[in-house]
């Protein structure tokens, strides 16, 4: 939820790790408010591109992949009901 809250508020997500962190100033979707009506599959692709360019998430997907998948699952549930 912490990562989704950052996306919702437009803060973006930054990978801050002493060993593997992204270069200074690199944020995923900073200054863009993300919500359940956005194209989450496209955001997942953008996230993969960010990781390819800035560095892979060594936290087994907890940085971007898991939060975006949860948001996608919520979106699909909401649309079905």
């Amino acid at each position: 939820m912490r990562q989704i809250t950052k996306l919702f508020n437009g803060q973006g997500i930054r990978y801050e790790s002493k060993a593997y962190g992204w270069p200074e100033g690199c944020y995923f979707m900073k200054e863009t408010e993300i919500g359940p009506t956005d194209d989450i599959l496209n955001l997942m692709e953008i996230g993969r591109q960010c990781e390819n360019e800035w560095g892979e998430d060594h936290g087994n997907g907890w940085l971007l992949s898991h939060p975006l998948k949860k948001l996608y699952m919520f979106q699909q549930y909401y649309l079905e009901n």
Side-chain angles (χ1 to χ4, degrees), residues 35-37 70-81:
T37 59
K70 292 295 183 185
L71 187 55
Y72 180 73
M73 289 169 50
F74 171 78
Q75 180 186 63
Q76 296 306 301
Y77 173 81
Y78 185 77
L79 290 173
E80 289 177 4
N81 293 312

Side-chain angles (χ1 to χ4, degrees), residues 3-16 22-23 25-34 38-52 54-55 63-69 71:
Q3 302 298 56
I4 293 174
T5 301
K6 289 179 184 179
L7 291 173
F8 181 77
N9 293 329
Q11 296 172 334
I13 296 175
R14 176 164 164 64
Y15 188 19
E16 298 194 38
W22 291 344
C26 293
Y27 286 82
F28 173 73
M29 302 306 291
K30 187 174 183 176
E31 299 180 9
T32 303
E33 294 178 356
I34 305 299
D38 289 306
D39 184 353
I40 306 304
L41 293 178
N42 185 50
L43 291 173
M44 293 169 82
E45 178 58 32
I46 293 170
R48 281 190 286 276
Q49 292 171 5
C50 289
E51 288 190 25
N52 287 339
W54 299 331
L63 183 69
L64 296 175
S65 181
H66 291 310
L68 289 172
K69 283 180 186 176
L71 187 55

